[in-house]
Amino acid sequence: NIMAHRRGRVGVGRAGPKFTKKAEEIKAVTLTSAIETVEKLEVKLAEFAKKHRKEIQHDPAFRKKFLEMCAPLGVDPLSSEKGFWGKMLGIGEFYYELAVKVAEVCLASKSRNGGIISVSEVKHILTKRGTKFQFAHVAVDSQQKGCQYSEEDIITSIKKLSILGSGFRTIEVGTSVMIVSVPTELDHDHMEIMKIAQDSDSGSELGCVSVKDVCDDTKWNKERAKRALDLLLSKGMAWLDVYEGVESYWFPSVWKESSDSSKQEN
Protein backbone atom coordinates (compact mmCIF):
# COMPACT_ATOMS: atom_id res chain seq x y z
CA ASN A 1 0.00 0.00 0.00
CA ILE A 2 2.83 2.35 0.83
CA MET A 3 4.49 1.61 -2.54
CA ALA A 4 1.21 2.15 -4.36
CA HIS A 5 0.75 5.44 -2.50
CA ARG A 6 4.28 6.51 -3.49
CA ARG A 7 3.71 5.51 -7.10
CA GLY A 8 0.53 7.59 -7.03
CA ARG A 9 2.42 10.62 -5.80
CA VAL A 10 5.17 10.13 -8.37
CA GLY A 11 2.53 9.88 -11.08
CA VAL A 12 0.98 13.17 -10.08
CA GLY A 13 4.42 14.78 -9.93
CA ARG A 14 5.28 13.63 -13.43
CA ALA A 15 1.93 14.82 -14.77
CA GLY A 16 2.44 18.25 -13.22
CA PRO A 17 4.38 19.85 -16.11
CA LYS A 18 1.82 18.50 -18.60
CA PHE A 19 -1.01 20.08 -16.64
CA THR A 20 0.95 23.33 -16.39
CA LYS A 21 1.61 23.35 -20.13
CA LYS A 22 -2.04 22.65 -20.89
CA ALA A 23 -3.16 25.37 -18.50
CA GLU A 24 -0.83 27.84 -20.22
CA GLU A 25 -2.23 26.84 -23.61
CA ILE A 26 -5.81 27.35 -22.40
CA LYS A 27 -4.82 30.69 -20.85
CA ALA A 28 -3.24 31.82 -24.14
CA VAL A 29 -6.31 30.77 -26.15
CA THR A 30 -8.60 32.53 -23.65
CA LEU A 31 -6.51 35.73 -23.80
CA THR A 32 -6.45 35.67 -27.61
CA SER A 33 -10.21 35.10 -27.65
CA ALA A 34 -10.76 37.98 -25.22
CA ILE A 35 -8.60 40.34 -27.31
CA GLU A 36 -10.50 39.36 -30.46
CA THR A 37 -13.82 39.95 -28.68
CA VAL A 38 -12.73 43.41 -27.50
CA GLU A 39 -11.48 44.30 -31.00
CA LYS A 40 -14.82 43.22 -32.49
CA LEU A 41 -16.66 45.30 -29.90
CA GLU A 42 -14.47 48.32 -30.70
CA VAL A 43 -15.33 47.94 -34.39
CA LYS A 44 -19.04 47.74 -33.49
CA LEU A 45 -18.63 50.79 -31.25
CA ALA A 46 -16.99 52.74 -34.09
CA GLU A 47 -19.82 51.74 -36.45
CA PHE A 48 -22.37 52.81 -33.85
CA ALA A 49 -20.59 56.15 -33.36
CA LYS A 50 -20.55 56.84 -37.12
CA LYS A 51 -24.23 56.00 -37.42
CA HIS A 52 -25.27 58.11 -34.43
CA ARG A 53 -22.71 60.90 -34.75
CA LYS A 54 -25.27 63.72 -34.63
CA GLU A 55 -27.10 62.30 -31.63
CA ILE A 56 -23.81 61.89 -29.72
CA GLN A 57 -22.84 65.46 -30.51
CA HIS A 58 -26.17 67.15 -29.84
CA ASP A 59 -28.14 65.03 -27.34
CA PRO A 60 -26.75 65.15 -23.76
CA ALA A 61 -28.59 62.00 -22.62
CA PHE A 62 -27.46 60.04 -25.70
CA ARG A 63 -23.89 61.32 -25.24
CA LYS A 64 -23.87 60.16 -21.59
CA LYS A 65 -25.00 56.65 -22.58
CA PHE A 66 -22.38 56.51 -25.34
CA LEU A 67 -19.57 57.40 -22.92
CA GLU A 68 -20.85 54.70 -20.55
CA MET A 69 -20.62 52.19 -23.44
CA CYS A 70 -17.02 53.22 -24.11
CA ALA A 71 -15.74 52.96 -20.53
CA PRO A 72 -15.67 49.12 -20.14
CA LEU A 73 -13.62 48.83 -23.36
CA GLY A 74 -11.07 51.41 -22.24
CA VAL A 75 -12.05 53.68 -25.14
CA ASP A 76 -11.85 57.38 -24.31
CA PRO A 77 -13.33 59.56 -27.09
CA LEU A 78 -12.30 62.64 -25.09
CA SER A 79 -8.59 61.88 -24.85
CA SER A 80 -7.34 63.15 -28.20
CA GLU A 81 -8.54 65.39 -31.01
CA LYS A 82 -5.97 63.99 -33.45
CA GLY A 83 -7.00 60.35 -33.21
CA PHE A 84 -9.85 58.49 -34.87
CA TRP A 85 -12.45 59.39 -32.22
CA GLY A 86 -11.44 63.03 -32.12
CA LYS A 87 -11.74 63.45 -35.87
CA MET A 88 -15.03 61.59 -36.09
CA LEU A 89 -16.88 63.04 -33.10
CA GLY A 90 -15.01 66.12 -31.90
CA ILE A 91 -16.55 65.80 -28.44
CA GLY A 92 -13.15 66.06 -26.76
CA GLU A 93 -12.91 69.66 -27.96
CA PHE A 94 -16.45 70.32 -26.73
CA TYR A 95 -15.57 69.12 -23.21
CA TYR A 96 -12.38 71.17 -23.26
CA GLU A 97 -14.35 74.31 -24.21
CA LEU A 98 -16.99 73.53 -21.59
CA ALA A 99 -14.33 72.98 -18.90
CA VAL A 100 -12.81 76.40 -19.67
CA LYS A 101 -16.21 78.14 -19.40
CA VAL A 102 -17.07 76.26 -16.19
CA ALA A 103 -13.70 77.22 -14.68
CA GLU A 104 -14.38 80.87 -15.58
CA VAL A 105 -17.72 80.79 -13.76
CA CYS A 106 -16.18 79.10 -10.71
CA LEU A 107 -13.33 81.60 -10.43
CA ALA A 108 -15.57 84.62 -11.07
CA SER A 109 -17.93 83.57 -8.23
CA LYS A 110 -15.15 82.58 -5.82
CA SER A 111 -15.27 85.82 -3.82
CA ARG A 112 -19.00 85.24 -3.22
CA ASN A 113 -19.06 81.52 -2.43
CA GLY A 114 -15.51 80.70 -1.29
CA GLY A 115 -14.83 78.37 -4.22
CA ILE A 116 -17.81 76.02 -3.94
CA ILE A 117 -20.73 76.23 -6.36
CA SER A 118 -23.46 73.83 -7.45
CA VAL A 119 -23.39 72.30 -10.92
CA SER A 120 -26.96 73.48 -11.45
CA GLU A 121 -25.97 77.10 -10.70
CA VAL A 122 -23.06 76.90 -13.15
CA LYS A 123 -25.41 75.59 -15.84
CA HIS A 124 -27.91 78.35 -15.05
CA ILE A 125 -25.20 81.03 -15.41
CA LEU A 126 -23.91 79.59 -18.71
CA THR A 127 -27.45 79.33 -20.08
CA LYS A 128 -28.25 82.89 -18.99
CA ARG A 129 -25.10 84.11 -20.74
CA GLY A 130 -26.14 82.29 -23.90
CA THR A 131 -22.82 80.43 -23.93
CA LYS A 132 -22.49 78.33 -27.08
CA PHE A 133 -20.04 75.60 -28.01
CA GLN A 134 -18.74 73.89 -31.12
CA PHE A 135 -21.84 71.80 -31.69
CA ALA A 136 -23.75 71.31 -28.45
CA HIS A 137 -26.06 74.30 -28.98
CA VAL A 138 -27.33 73.01 -32.35
CA ALA A 139 -30.64 71.16 -32.16
CA VAL A 140 -30.94 67.65 -33.63
CA ASP A 141 -34.40 68.49 -34.91
CA SER A 142 -36.66 71.50 -34.98
CA GLN A 143 -38.48 70.43 -31.80
CA GLN A 144 -35.33 70.61 -29.65
CA LYS A 145 -34.41 74.11 -28.66
CA GLY A 146 -32.15 75.85 -26.19
CA CYS A 147 -29.23 74.43 -24.25
CA GLN A 148 -28.01 71.07 -25.56
CA TYR A 149 -25.54 70.25 -22.80
CA SER A 150 -26.43 68.80 -19.45
CA GLU A 151 -25.28 68.95 -15.85
CA GLU A 152 -23.73 65.53 -16.50
CA ASP A 153 -21.64 67.12 -19.29
CA ILE A 154 -20.41 69.75 -16.81
CA ILE A 155 -19.43 67.02 -14.33
CA THR A 156 -17.55 65.16 -17.10
CA SER A 157 -15.68 68.34 -18.06
CA ILE A 158 -14.62 68.87 -14.43
CA LYS A 159 -13.28 65.30 -14.30
CA LYS A 160 -11.09 66.16 -17.29
CA LEU A 161 -9.84 69.26 -15.46
CA SER A 162 -9.09 67.30 -12.27
CA ILE A 163 -6.90 64.84 -14.22
CA LEU A 164 -4.67 67.81 -15.13
CA GLY A 165 -4.16 68.56 -11.44
CA SER A 166 -6.11 71.81 -11.62
CA GLY A 167 -7.56 71.48 -8.12
CA PHE A 168 -11.11 71.36 -9.48
CA ARG A 169 -13.27 68.49 -8.27
CA THR A 170 -16.90 67.59 -7.67
CA ILE A 171 -18.46 66.50 -4.40
CA GLU A 172 -21.95 65.34 -3.50
CA VAL A 173 -23.73 67.36 -0.83
CA GLY A 174 -27.15 66.00 -0.03
CA THR A 175 -29.12 66.06 -3.27
CA SER A 176 -26.68 68.33 -5.12
CA VAL A 177 -23.37 67.97 -6.91
CA MET A 178 -20.99 70.82 -6.06
CA ILE A 179 -17.85 71.97 -7.86
CA VAL A 180 -14.95 72.83 -5.54
CA SER A 181 -12.24 75.03 -7.06
CA VAL A 182 -10.06 75.51 -3.97
CA PRO A 183 -7.68 73.05 -2.25
CA THR A 184 -9.63 73.14 1.04
CA GLU A 185 -10.41 69.62 2.22
CA LEU A 186 -14.00 69.28 3.36
CA ASP A 187 -14.64 66.49 5.86
CA HIS A 188 -17.86 64.73 6.85
CA ASP A 189 -18.84 67.47 9.32
CA HIS A 190 -18.62 70.24 6.71
CA MET A 191 -20.64 68.20 4.20
CA GLU A 192 -23.27 67.41 6.84
CA ILE A 193 -23.72 71.10 7.69
CA MET A 194 -24.20 72.02 4.03
CA LYS A 195 -26.69 69.18 3.70
CA ILE A 196 -28.66 70.63 6.65
CA ALA A 197 -28.60 74.04 4.94
CA GLN A 198 -30.29 72.41 1.93
CA ASP A 199 -33.13 71.14 4.12
CA SER A 200 -36.02 73.58 4.41
CA ASP A 201 -37.35 71.57 7.40
CA SER A 202 -34.22 72.23 9.48
CA GLY A 203 -35.81 75.21 11.25
CA SER A 204 -34.04 78.07 9.46
CA GLU A 205 -34.46 79.48 5.99
CA LEU A 206 -33.16 77.50 3.02
CA GLY A 207 -29.39 77.97 2.71
CA CYS A 208 -29.05 79.10 6.31
CA VAL A 209 -28.21 77.32 9.58
CA SER A 210 -27.46 78.22 13.18
CA VAL A 211 -25.33 76.32 15.69
CA LYS A 212 -28.58 75.19 17.33
CA ASP A 213 -29.92 73.83 13.98
CA VAL A 214 -26.76 71.79 13.51
CA CYS A 215 -26.76 70.45 17.08
CA ASP A 216 -30.47 69.56 16.93
CA ASP A 217 -30.08 67.74 13.63
CA THR A 218 -26.79 65.91 14.29
CA LYS A 219 -26.76 65.62 18.11
CA TRP A 220 -23.22 67.08 18.10
CA ASN A 221 -22.05 69.29 20.93
CA LYS A 222 -21.74 73.05 20.35
CA GLU A 223 -17.93 72.94 20.11
CA ARG A 224 -17.98 70.46 17.22
CA ALA A 225 -20.66 72.37 15.31
CA LYS A 226 -18.92 75.72 15.84
CA ARG A 227 -15.53 74.33 14.77
CA ALA A 228 -16.92 73.07 11.44
CA LEU A 229 -18.91 76.27 10.83
CA ASP A 230 -15.91 78.49 11.61
CA LEU A 231 -13.76 76.72 9.01
CA LEU A 232 -16.45 77.17 6.33
CA LEU A 233 -16.73 80.81 7.40
CA SER A 234 -12.96 81.37 7.26
CA LYS A 235 -12.80 79.97 3.72
CA GLY A 236 -15.62 82.20 2.51
CA MET A 237 -17.95 79.27 1.89
CA ALA A 238 -20.36 80.64 4.49
CA TRP A 239 -21.40 84.14 5.54
CA LEU A 240 -22.16 85.14 9.12
CA ASP A 241 -25.25 87.20 9.96
CA VAL A 242 -25.90 88.29 13.56
CA TYR A 243 -29.42 89.44 14.39
CA GLU A 244 -30.57 90.11 17.95
CA GLY A 245 -27.63 88.10 19.27
CA VAL A 246 -28.38 85.04 17.13
CA GLU A 247 -25.65 83.94 14.71
CA SER A 248 -26.87 82.60 11.37
CA TYR A 249 -24.56 81.05 8.78
CA TRP A 250 -25.59 81.53 5.15
CA PHE A 251 -24.32 79.33 2.33
CA PRO A 252 -24.33 81.22 -1.01
CA SER A 253 -23.85 78.02 -3.01
CA VAL A 254 -27.03 76.57 -1.50
CA TRP A 255 -29.46 79.48 -1.50
CA LYS A 256 -28.29 80.63 -4.93
CA GLU A 257 -28.97 77.13 -6.28
CA SER A 258 -32.47 77.08 -4.77
CA SER A 259 -33.14 80.60 -6.09
CA ASP A 260 -32.11 79.59 -9.63
CA SER A 261 -34.21 76.43 -9.44
CA SER A 262 -37.34 78.35 -8.42
CA LYS A 263 -36.82 80.83 -11.30
CA GLN A 264 -36.55 77.98 -13.79
CA GLU A 265 -39.74 76.38 -12.44
CA ASN A 266 -41.59 79.65 -12.84
Side-chain angles (χ1 to χ4, degrees):
N1 289 341
I2 294 172
M3 290 299 293
H5 180 64
R6 285 179 177 172
R7 280 199 299 270
R9 291 185 63 184
V10 171
V12 171
R14 287 177 179 173
K18 291 181 182 179
F19 281 119
T20 304
K21 186 178 180 182
K22 191 64 179 175
E24 288 175 353
E25 288 174 1
I26 293 170
K27 188 177 179 181
V29 170
T30 305
L31 181 60
T32 303
S33 177
I35 292 170
E36 287 175 357
T37 301
V38 170
E39 287 175 348
K40 286 177 183 176
L41 287 171
E42 286 180 351
V43 170
K44 290 287 185 184
L45 189 65
E47 290 172 357
F48 178 86
K50 284 180 181 178
K51 184 179 179 181
H52 299 284
R53 183 171 178 266
K54 285 188 177 180
E55 290 95 329
I56 293 168
Q57 288 183 336
H58 307 308
D59 185 339
F62 200 97
R63 183 161 56 244
K64 179 176 181 287
K65 289 294 182 185
F66 174 70
L67 292 176
E68 287 174 355
M69 285 168 58
C70 293
L73 296 175
V75 174
D76 186 2
L78 316 183
S79 61
S80 174
E81 285 303 305
K82 295 178 182 179
F84 166 74
W85 293 102
K87 289 177 181 177
M88 182 172 67
L89 296 175
I91 57 175
E93 186 174 339
F94 157 64
Y95 279 112
Y96 171 75
E97 288 179 26
L98 181 58
V100 170
K101 295 299 181 184
V102 169
E104 287 175 0
V105 171
C106 292
L107 295 175
S109 63
K110 190 175 175 182
S111 61
R112 171 173 60 82
N113 54 37
I116 184 168
I117 184 171
S118 69
V119 170
S120 61
E121 185 186 344
V122 170
K123 186 171 183 292
H124 176 77
I125 292 171
L126 291 176
T127 305
K128 194 175 179 181
R129 286 181 183 176
T131 304
K132 295 181 179 181
F133 300 95
Q134 183 184 10
F135 53 71
H137 64 283
V138 182
V140 179
D141 56 53
S142 58
Q143 293 180 340
Q144 287 184 300
K145 295 179 180 179
C147 178
Q148 291 303 310
Y149 54 93
S150 65
E151 290 185 14
E152 193 65 39
D153 285 328
I154 291 173
I155 293 169
T156 300
S157 73
I158 289 298
K159 286 177 182 174
K160 291 298 164 187
L161 273 180
S162 63
I163 291 171
L164 300 175
S166 61
F168 284 79
R169 63 194 186 280
T170 58
I171 59 172
E172 289 187 16
V173 178
T175 57
S176 302
V177 178
M178 300 280 186
I179 300 170
V180 182
S181 56
V182 290
T184 305
E185 287 298 325
L186 300 176
D187 63 20
H188 171 267
D189 287 8
H190 306 128
M191 308 281 268
E192 191 64 30
I193 286 173
M194 294 183 70
K195 186 178 175 182
I196 295 167
Q198 287 180 336
D199 184 7
S200 57
D201 297 327
S202 63
S204 296
E205 292 184 56
L206 197 64
C208 174
V209 297
S210 65
V211 172
K212 183 179 182 300
D213 293 333
V214 175
C215 292
D216 289 346
D217 201 275
T218 61
K219 309 306 178 190
W220 299 344
N221 59 39
K222 286 185 179 180
E223 289 72 22
R224 180 176 176 180
K226 194 79 166 60
R227 184 168 61 248
L229 283 164
D230 284 346
L231 181 132
L232 293 167
L233 185 66
S234 69
K235 299 299 180 182
M237 295 179 182
W239 297 351
L240 178 62
D241 179 41
V242 182
Y243 180 70
E244 294 184 351
V246 178
E247 294 184 343
S248 298
Y249 295 81
W250 288 87
F251 292 85
S253 57
V254 175
W255 60 255
K256 194 72 175 67
E257 178 190 27
S258 62
S259 172
D260 291 341
S261 298
S262 61
K263 286 178 184 176
Q264 288 173 351
E265 288 172 6
N266 296 331

